[in-house]
Amino acid sequence: KKRGVSVNDDLITHAQLALFRGNTIDKLETNNRSMSNNQPDITVGVLALQGAFEEHQRSIESISPRIATVQVRTADQLSQIDGIVLPGGESTAMGLIGDATPGLWDALRDFVRSESRPVWGTCAGMILLAERCVGTSAVIAAGQSLIGGMDILVCRNYFGSQISSFEMATPAPPVPPCSKLEGMENTSEDVDAPFPGVFIRAPAILTASPDVEVLGKVVAAPCRAAAVVLRELERKIEAGENVIQMGVVDALERRAGGGIAYADVRLRKAEGDDDGSYEEEKKEAVIQERINIDLPGASDETNAREVICAVRKGKVLCTAFHPEIADDLRWHKYFVGMVLAAKQKP
């Protein structure tokens, strides 16, 4: 028993534990430590349902004492902030908690679509902001609960599981659109230097609409499970389906004579590749809306693709990696610059 709450492994879920953690940790609820009684220039909210919200707070606050952060868990808190970060973590858990919190998901959708205050989604937060998502959790009957607002197609867990986490060089972020705040300046050496992208069970952006500005790309092979999802997605696109969400696909093939084998996920055209059942699927597909989606090509040998890792559209920013874990504040400065620029506009 802890603080009057009985914790029973058979009854409590990971989502409930995340909510319990959020409701009992209030040490960073509103951080004005460095500003005494002075009002901050801007207040940035961080969605604090689950994930790396405290790490984002520390990164943002370390830029300047003129910035305050607040943990956001309810809809009414959105009126108190100048911009919001949706952190990395577990998008399924965030969706479950968000749906269970009265009014929060609808309020966040309104916040994003109002285009008046900036929003930044990192990793899981990027998934939540996507309009289309494949590789969603198989345990959620209704699919991944998305907020939307960014017209991108995201592949969840593209880079693999937690043990497949890694760091790789990614393109440098743009210069902040507004830097009229102490601590916002980047050194000349920083401006063009690659950014250390930390990818933890990370998603990848497969496609973006023409009005979305691509800020960074990387070349990487999908994990086996993601590659099978992509193969199935390509089949659906060829059949003319409008894919909004698609769950995980079994990466194992059952042999007729018994036994199993991993699916061959290299994208190559072989004679007789299509079987009759696929042709039937194509004929019976219900086409609600015909759209053009061109997936990035894959090498026959390595299956590596060029995928997008950072995008911006208006006041919405998305990154597939975790800038809050890297020892580099440039992406946080860029987002703070977006918030400053938005606040200065009449």
Side-chain angles (χ1 to χ4, degrees), residues 25-62:
I25 297 177
D26 57 5
K27 63 181 179 181
L28 289 172
E29 188 67 42
T30 304
N31 264 321
N32 293 347
R33 293 187 297 267
S34 303
M35 291 175 290
S36 301
N37 295 322
N38 297 329
Q39 284 293 105
D41 287 11
I42 58 170
T43 299
V44 177
V46 184
L47 187 66
L49 303 182
Q50 188 268 346
F53 49 88
E54 292 182 1
E55 288 78 4
H56 273 292
Q57 285 185 277
R58 282 193 285 268
S59 295
I60 292 169
E61 290 174 0
S62 67

mmCIF file of all heavy atoms in Angstrom, residues 25-62:
data_model
loop_
_atom_site.group_PDB
_atom_site.id
_atom_site.type_symbol
_atom_site.label_atom_id
_atom_site.label_comp_id
_atom_site.label_asym_id
_atom_site.label_seq_id
_atom_site.Cartn_x
_atom_site.Cartn_y
_atom_site.Cartn_z
ATOM 1 N N ILE A 25 3.289 12.707 -8.406
ATOM 2 C CA ILE A 25 4.521 13.502 -8.532
ATOM 3 C C ILE A 25 4.141 14.926 -8.897
ATOM 4 O O ILE A 25 3.643 15.174 -9.975
ATOM 5 C CB ILE A 25 5.448 12.917 -9.611
ATOM 6 C CG1 ILE A 25 5.883 11.515 -9.201
ATOM 7 C CG2 ILE A 25 6.673 13.806 -9.810
ATOM 8 C CD1 ILE A 25 6.747 10.825 -10.234
ATOM 9 N N ASP A 26 4.339 15.839 -7.974
ATOM 10 C CA ASP A 26 3.958 17.229 -8.262
ATOM 11 C C ASP A 26 5.123 18.197 -8.069
ATOM 12 O O ASP A 26 4.932 19.396 -8.036
ATOM 13 C CB ASP A 26 2.776 17.647 -7.380
ATOM 14 C CG ASP A 26 3.064 17.481 -5.891
ATOM 15 O OD1 ASP A 26 4.213 17.134 -5.533
ATOM 16 O OD2 ASP A 26 2.141 17.690 -5.092
ATOM 17 N N LYS A 27 6.330 17.666 -7.949
ATOM 18 C CA LYS A 27 7.462 18.534 -7.669
ATOM 19 C C LYS A 27 7.771 19.470 -8.817
ATOM 20 O O LYS A 27 8.396 20.521 -8.616
ATOM 21 C CB LYS A 27 8.705 17.698 -7.327
ATOM 22 C CG LYS A 27 9.174 16.811 -8.464
ATOM 23 C CD LYS A 27 10.386 16.005 -8.056
ATOM 24 C CE LYS A 27 10.827 15.093 -9.194
ATOM 25 N NZ LYS A 27 11.986 14.291 -8.831
ATOM 26 N N LEU A 28 7.342 19.089 -10.063
ATOM 27 C CA LEU A 28 7.592 19.955 -11.211
ATOM 28 C C LEU A 28 6.292 20.506 -11.780
ATOM 29 O O LEU A 28 6.259 20.946 -12.912
ATOM 30 C CB LEU A 28 8.334 19.173 -12.308
ATOM 31 C CG LEU A 28 9.777 18.825 -12.024
ATOM 32 C CD1 LEU A 28 10.298 17.889 -13.111
ATOM 33 C CD2 LEU A 28 10.634 20.062 -11.960
ATOM 34 N N GLU A 29 5.221 20.470 -10.992
ATOM 35 C CA GLU A 29 3.898 20.844 -11.518
ATOM 36 C C GLU A 29 3.931 22.204 -12.186
ATOM 37 O O GLU A 29 3.447 22.399 -13.271
ATOM 38 C CB GLU A 29 2.879 20.823 -10.372
ATOM 39 C CG GLU A 29 1.452 21.014 -10.826
ATOM 40 C CD GLU A 29 0.998 19.826 -11.653
ATOM 41 O OE1 GLU A 29 1.303 18.689 -11.288
ATOM 42 O OE2 GLU A 29 0.354 20.067 -12.678
ATOM 43 N N THR A 30 4.496 23.199 -11.532
ATOM 44 C CA THR A 30 4.725 24.491 -12.179
ATOM 45 C C THR A 30 6.104 24.954 -11.755
ATOM 46 O O THR A 30 6.349 25.131 -10.580
ATOM 47 C CB THR A 30 3.679 25.542 -11.741
ATOM 48 O OG1 THR A 30 2.391 25.034 -12.004
ATOM 49 C CG2 THR A 30 3.880 26.841 -12.507
ATOM 50 N N ASN A 31 7.007 25.111 -12.712
ATOM 51 C CA ASN A 31 8.404 25.405 -12.386
ATOM 52 C C ASN A 31 8.715 26.854 -12.663
ATOM 53 O O ASN A 31 8.895 27.242 -13.797
ATOM 54 C CB ASN A 31 9.334 24.513 -13.213
ATOM 55 C CG ASN A 31 9.751 23.286 -12.445
ATOM 56 O OD1 ASN A 31 9.994 23.372 -11.254
ATOM 57 N ND2 ASN A 31 9.831 22.153 -13.119
ATOM 58 N N ASN A 32 8.796 27.649 -11.615
ATOM 59 C CA ASN A 32 9.196 29.051 -11.721
ATOM 60 C C ASN A 32 10.370 29.308 -10.787
ATOM 61 O O ASN A 32 10.538 30.398 -10.263
ATOM 62 C CB ASN A 32 8.042 29.986 -11.336
ATOM 63 C CG ASN A 32 6.899 29.921 -12.324
ATOM 64 O OD1 ASN A 32 7.050 29.374 -13.400
ATOM 65 N ND2 ASN A 32 5.766 30.456 -11.951
ATOM 66 N N ARG A 33 11.190 28.268 -10.584
ATOM 67 C CA ARG A 33 12.204 28.356 -9.548
ATOM 68 C C ARG A 33 13.166 29.507 -9.752
ATOM 69 O O ARG A 33 13.587 30.145 -8.800
ATOM 70 C CB ARG A 33 12.989 27.033 -9.521
ATOM 71 C CG ARG A 33 12.175 25.852 -9.073
ATOM 72 C CD ARG A 33 13.073 24.635 -8.912
ATOM 73 N NE ARG A 33 13.682 24.248 -10.160
ATOM 74 C CZ ARG A 33 13.170 23.355 -10.989
ATOM 75 N NH1 ARG A 33 12.010 22.808 -10.699
ATOM 76 N NH2 ARG A 33 13.795 23.032 -12.101
ATOM 77 N N SER A 34 13.562 29.749 -11.016
ATOM 78 C CA SER A 34 14.611 30.731 -11.268
ATOM 79 C C SER A 34 14.090 32.146 -11.456
ATOM 80 O O SER A 34 14.851 33.058 -11.697
ATOM 81 C CB SER A 34 15.399 30.311 -12.525
ATOM 82 O OG SER A 34 15.925 29.030 -12.348
ATOM 83 N N MET A 35 12.760 32.332 -11.389
ATOM 84 C CA MET A 35 12.194 33.629 -11.741
ATOM 85 C C MET A 35 11.663 34.413 -10.554
ATOM 86 O O MET A 35 11.104 35.483 -10.721
ATOM 87 C CB MET A 35 11.073 33.411 -12.757
ATOM 88 C CG MET A 35 11.581 32.937 -14.097
ATOM 89 S SD MET A 35 10.253 32.553 -15.219
ATOM 90 C CE MET A 35 9.596 31.081 -14.476
ATOM 91 N N SER A 36 11.808 33.865 -9.346
ATOM 92 C CA SER A 36 11.296 34.513 -8.140
ATOM 93 C C SER A 36 9.839 34.891 -8.364
ATOM 94 O O SER A 36 9.032 34.054 -8.703
ATOM 95 C CB SER A 36 12.148 35.728 -7.790
ATOM 96 O OG SER A 36 13.486 35.332 -7.582
ATOM 97 N N ASN A 37 9.499 36.160 -8.193
ATOM 98 C CA ASN A 37 8.120 36.603 -8.360
ATOM 99 C C ASN A 37 7.866 37.210 -9.734
ATOM 100 O O ASN A 37 6.782 37.735 -9.987
ATOM 101 C CB ASN A 37 7.762 37.618 -7.266
ATOM 102 C CG ASN A 37 7.784 36.993 -5.884
ATOM 103 O OD1 ASN A 37 7.381 35.851 -5.720
ATOM 104 N ND2 ASN A 37 8.265 37.739 -4.898
ATOM 105 N N ASN A 38 8.853 37.180 -10.606
ATOM 106 C CA ASN A 38 8.679 37.748 -11.934
ATOM 107 C C ASN A 38 7.865 36.827 -12.820
ATOM 108 O O ASN A 38 7.937 35.605 -12.707
ATOM 109 C CB ASN A 38 10.041 37.999 -12.593
ATOM 110 C CG ASN A 38 10.849 39.026 -11.829
ATOM 111 O OD1 ASN A 38 10.280 39.930 -11.223
ATOM 112 N ND2 ASN A 38 12.161 38.869 -11.847
ATOM 113 N N GLN A 39 7.111 37.413 -13.730
ATOM 114 C CA GLN A 39 6.348 36.635 -14.691
ATOM 115 C C GLN A 39 7.276 36.123 -15.789
ATOM 116 O O GLN A 39 8.134 36.859 -16.271
ATOM 117 C CB GLN A 39 5.241 37.497 -15.308
ATOM 118 C CG GLN A 39 4.043 37.728 -14.394
ATOM 119 C CD GLN A 39 3.282 36.438 -14.151
ATOM 120 O OE1 GLN A 39 3.372 35.848 -13.083
ATOM 121 N NE2 GLN A 39 2.543 36.006 -15.147
ATOM 122 N N PRO A 40 7.112 34.882 -16.220
ATOM 123 C CA PRO A 40 7.948 34.378 -17.314
ATOM 124 C C PRO A 40 7.547 35.021 -18.636
ATOM 125 O O PRO A 40 6.417 35.483 -18.799
ATOM 126 C CB PRO A 40 7.633 32.885 -17.323
ATOM 127 C CG PRO A 40 6.240 32.785 -16.764
ATOM 128 C CD PRO A 40 6.158 33.869 -15.724
ATOM 129 N N ASP A 41 8.482 35.032 -19.577
ATOM 130 C CA ASP A 41 8.159 35.530 -20.917
ATOM 131 C C ASP A 41 7.226 34.578 -21.642
ATOM 132 O O ASP A 41 6.319 35.005 -22.360
ATOM 133 C CB ASP A 41 9.445 35.710 -21.729
ATOM 134 C CG ASP A 41 10.253 36.921 -21.276
ATOM 135 O OD1 ASP A 41 9.916 37.489 -20.218
ATOM 136 O OD2 ASP A 41 11.212 37.283 -21.976
ATOM 137 N N ILE A 42 7.466 33.280 -21.482
ATOM 138 C CA ILE A 42 6.579 32.272 -22.063
ATOM 139 C C ILE A 42 6.424 31.111 -21.091
ATOM 140 O O ILE A 42 7.300 30.851 -20.259
ATOM 141 C CB ILE A 42 7.105 31.732 -23.416
ATOM 142 C CG1 ILE A 42 8.501 31.137 -23.262
ATOM 143 C CG2 ILE A 42 7.082 32.814 -24.485
ATOM 144 C CD1 ILE A 42 8.980 30.380 -24.504
ATOM 145 N N THR A 43 5.302 30.407 -21.212
ATOM 146 C CA THR A 43 5.060 29.194 -20.443
ATOM 147 C C THR A 43 4.793 28.060 -21.416
ATOM 148 O O THR A 43 3.876 28.133 -22.236
ATOM 149 C CB THR A 43 3.855 29.362 -19.494
ATOM 150 O OG1 THR A 43 4.116 30.421 -18.573
ATOM 151 C CG2 THR A 43 3.598 28.083 -18.714
ATOM 152 N N VAL A 44 5.621 27.024 -21.347
ATOM 153 C CA VAL A 44 5.494 25.873 -22.237
ATOM 154 C C VAL A 44 4.915 24.708 -21.454
ATOM 155 O O VAL A 44 5.438 24.332 -20.405
ATOM 156 C CB VAL A 44 6.866 25.483 -22.838
ATOM 157 C CG1 VAL A 44 6.719 24.238 -23.710
ATOM 158 C CG2 VAL A 44 7.437 26.639 -23.644
ATOM 159 N N GLY A 45 3.845 24.144 -21.955
ATOM 160 C CA GLY A 45 3.255 22.966 -21.334
ATOM 161 C C GLY A 45 3.895 21.698 -21.867
ATOM 162 O O GLY A 45 4.347 21.653 -23.010
ATOM 163 N N VAL A 46 3.943 20.660 -21.044
ATOM 164 C CA VAL A 46 4.416 19.343 -21.469
ATOM 165 C C VAL A 46 3.356 18.328 -21.051
ATOM 166 O O VAL A 46 3.023 18.232 -19.866
ATOM 167 C CB VAL A 46 5.774 18.979 -20.839
ATOM 168 C CG1 VAL A 46 6.274 17.651 -21.394
ATOM 169 C CG2 VAL A 46 6.810 20.064 -21.081
ATOM 170 N N LEU A 47 2.804 17.614 -22.019
ATOM 171 C CA LEU A 47 1.794 16.607 -21.703
ATOM 172 C C LEU A 47 2.402 15.565 -20.774
ATOM 173 O O LEU A 47 3.417 14.938 -21.107
ATOM 174 C CB LEU A 47 1.292 15.948 -22.990
ATOM 175 C CG LEU A 47 0.115 14.983 -22.834
ATOM 176 C CD1 LEU A 47 -1.139 15.720 -22.379
ATOM 177 C CD2 LEU A 47 -0.151 14.241 -24.148
ATOM 178 N N ALA A 48 1.802 15.379 -19.600
ATOM 179 C CA ALA A 48 2.423 14.570 -18.548
ATOM 180 C C ALA A 48 1.562 13.368 -18.180
ATOM 181 O O ALA A 48 1.317 13.100 -17.008
ATOM 182 C CB ALA A 48 2.702 15.436 -17.317
ATOM 183 N N LEU A 49 1.113 12.644 -19.185
ATOM 184 C CA LEU A 49 0.339 11.434 -18.927
ATOM 185 C C LEU A 49 1.249 10.231 -18.729
ATOM 186 O O LEU A 49 0.942 9.321 -17.974
ATOM 187 C CB LEU A 49 -0.611 11.152 -20.106
ATOM 188 C CG LEU A 49 -1.602 12.269 -20.464
ATOM 189 C CD1 LEU A 49 -2.496 11.817 -21.615
ATOM 190 C CD2 LEU A 49 -2.426 12.664 -19.256
ATOM 191 N N GLN A 50 2.379 10.232 -19.431
ATOM 192 C CA GLN A 50 3.331 9.124 -19.388
ATOM 193 C C GLN A 50 4.529 9.539 -20.233
ATOM 194 O O GLN A 50 4.428 10.403 -21.093
ATOM 195 C CB GLN A 50 2.678 7.851 -19.957
ATOM 196 C CG GLN A 50 3.468 6.560 -19.804
ATOM 197 C CD GLN A 50 4.360 6.268 -21.002
ATOM 198 O OE1 GLN A 50 4.219 6.879 -22.051
ATOM 199 N NE2 GLN A 50 5.284 5.342 -20.824
ATOM 200 N N GLY A 51 5.683 8.964 -19.960
ATOM 201 C CA GLY A 51 6.831 9.226 -20.810
ATOM 202 C C GLY A 51 7.821 10.225 -20.241
ATOM 203 O O GLY A 51 7.861 10.505 -19.037
ATOM 204 N N ALA A 52 8.627 10.813 -21.133
ATOM 205 C CA ALA A 52 9.775 11.642 -20.746
ATOM 206 C C ALA A 52 9.404 13.110 -20.601
ATOM 207 O O ALA A 52 10.083 13.989 -21.125
ATOM 208 C CB ALA A 52 10.889 11.474 -21.779
ATOM 209 N N PHE A 53 8.348 13.410 -19.853
ATOM 210 C CA PHE A 53 7.923 14.809 -19.723
ATOM 211 C C PHE A 53 8.872 15.618 -18.846
ATOM 212 O O PHE A 53 9.141 16.787 -19.113
ATOM 213 C CB PHE A 53 6.478 14.905 -19.219
ATOM 214 C CG PHE A 53 6.144 14.082 -18.003
ATOM 215 C CD1 PHE A 53 6.330 14.595 -16.731
ATOM 216 C CD2 PHE A 53 5.613 12.817 -18.137
ATOM 217 C CE1 PHE A 53 6.002 13.851 -15.613
ATOM 218 C CE2 PHE A 53 5.276 12.051 -17.030
ATOM 219 C CZ PHE A 53 5.475 12.564 -15.754
ATOM 220 N N GLU A 54 9.404 15.022 -17.775
ATOM 221 C CA GLU A 54 10.321 15.759 -16.903
ATOM 222 C C GLU A 54 11.614 16.114 -17.627
ATOM 223 O O GLU A 54 12.179 17.194 -17.410
ATOM 224 C CB GLU A 54 10.620 14.950 -15.640
ATOM 225 C CG GLU A 54 9.425 14.808 -14.716
ATOM 226 C CD GLU A 54 9.769 14.031 -13.453
ATOM 227 O OE1 GLU A 54 10.947 13.635 -13.311
ATOM 228 O OE2 GLU A 54 8.869 13.824 -12.627
ATOM 229 N N GLU A 55 12.080 15.223 -18.489
ATOM 230 C CA GLU A 55 13.307 15.490 -19.255
ATOM 231 C C GLU A 55 13.108 16.690 -20.186
ATOM 232 O O GLU A 55 14.009 17.520 -20.353
ATOM 233 C CB GLU A 55 13.704 14.252 -20.054
ATOM 234 C CG GLU A 55 14.256 13.111 -19.214
ATOM 235 C CD GLU A 55 13.200 12.297 -18.485
ATOM 236 O OE1 GLU A 55 11.990 12.567 -18.681
ATOM 237 O OE2 GLU A 55 13.568 11.398 -17.725
ATOM 238 N N HIS A 56 11.938 16.793 -20.793
ATOM 239 C CA HIS A 56 11.643 17.955 -21.639
ATOM 240 C C HIS A 56 11.604 19.240 -20.798
ATOM 241 O O HIS A 56 12.095 20.290 -21.230
ATOM 242 C CB HIS A 56 10.317 17.775 -22.368
ATOM 243 C CG HIS A 56 10.439 17.056 -23.673
ATOM 244 N ND1 HIS A 56 11.080 17.607 -24.765
ATOM 245 C CD2 HIS A 56 10.011 15.832 -24.067
ATOM 246 C CE1 HIS A 56 11.027 16.757 -25.784
ATOM 247 N NE2 HIS A 56 10.392 15.665 -25.381
ATOM 248 N N GLN A 57 11.015 19.149 -19.630
ATOM 249 C CA GLN A 57 10.956 20.326 -18.757
ATOM 250 C C GLN A 57 12.354 20.825 -18.408
ATOM 251 O O GLN A 57 12.639 22.023 -18.480
ATOM 252 C CB GLN A 57 10.185 19.996 -17.475
ATOM 253 C CG GLN A 57 8.680 19.899 -17.677
ATOM 254 C CD GLN A 57 7.967 19.698 -16.357
ATOM 255 O OE1 GLN A 57 7.867 18.577 -15.865
ATOM 256 N NE2 GLN A 57 7.490 20.782 -15.780
ATOM 257 N N ARG A 58 13.220 19.889 -18.030
ATOM 258 C CA ARG A 58 14.576 20.290 -17.668
ATOM 259 C C ARG A 58 15.311 20.925 -18.844
ATOM 260 O O ARG A 58 16.028 21.921 -18.684
ATOM 261 C CB ARG A 58 15.354 19.078 -17.129
ATOM 262 C CG ARG A 58 15.006 18.708 -15.697
ATOM 263 C CD ARG A 58 16.009 17.725 -15.122
ATOM 264 N NE ARG A 58 15.813 16.391 -15.658
ATOM 265 C CZ ARG A 58 15.035 15.461 -15.089
ATOM 266 N NH1 ARG A 58 14.380 15.757 -13.982
ATOM 267 N NH2 ARG A 58 14.925 14.260 -15.620
ATOM 268 N N SER A 59 15.135 20.353 -20.029
ATOM 269 C CA SER A 59 15.803 20.898 -21.213
ATOM 270 C C SER A 59 15.310 22.305 -21.522
ATOM 271 O O SER A 59 16.110 23.215 -21.787
ATOM 272 C CB SER A 59 15.560 19.987 -22.422
ATOM 273 O OG SER A 59 16.155 18.724 -22.236
ATOM 274 N N ILE A 60 14.014 22.505 -21.491
ATOM 275 C CA ILE A 60 13.439 23.812 -21.816
ATOM 276 C C ILE A 60 13.829 24.855 -20.775
ATOM 277 O O ILE A 60 14.222 25.978 -21.108
ATOM 278 C CB ILE A 60 11.900 23.709 -21.933
ATOM 279 C CG1 ILE A 60 11.533 22.875 -23.164
ATOM 280 C CG2 ILE A 60 11.264 25.094 -22.015
ATOM 281 C CD1 ILE A 60 10.073 22.496 -23.241
ATOM 282 N N GLU A 61 13.759 24.488 -19.505
ATOM 283 C CA GLU A 61 14.074 25.443 -18.445
ATOM 284 C C GLU A 61 15.550 25.813 -18.426
ATOM 285 O O GLU A 61 15.916 26.904 -17.990
ATOM 286 C CB GLU A 61 13.671 24.869 -17.084
ATOM 287 C CG GLU A 61 12.170 24.787 -16.892
ATOM 288 C CD GLU A 61 11.811 24.072 -15.601
ATOM 289 O OE1 GLU A 61 12.738 23.650 -14.886
ATOM 290 O OE2 GLU A 61 10.614 23.934 -15.333
ATOM 291 N N SER A 62 16.412 24.903 -18.906
ATOM 292 C CA SER A 62 17.844 25.196 -18.898
ATOM 293 C C SER A 62 18.242 26.205 -19.969
ATOM 294 O O SER A 62 19.347 26.733 -19.941
ATOM 295 C CB SER A 62 18.646 23.904 -19.083
ATOM 296 O OG SER A 62 18.437 23.363 -20.370
#
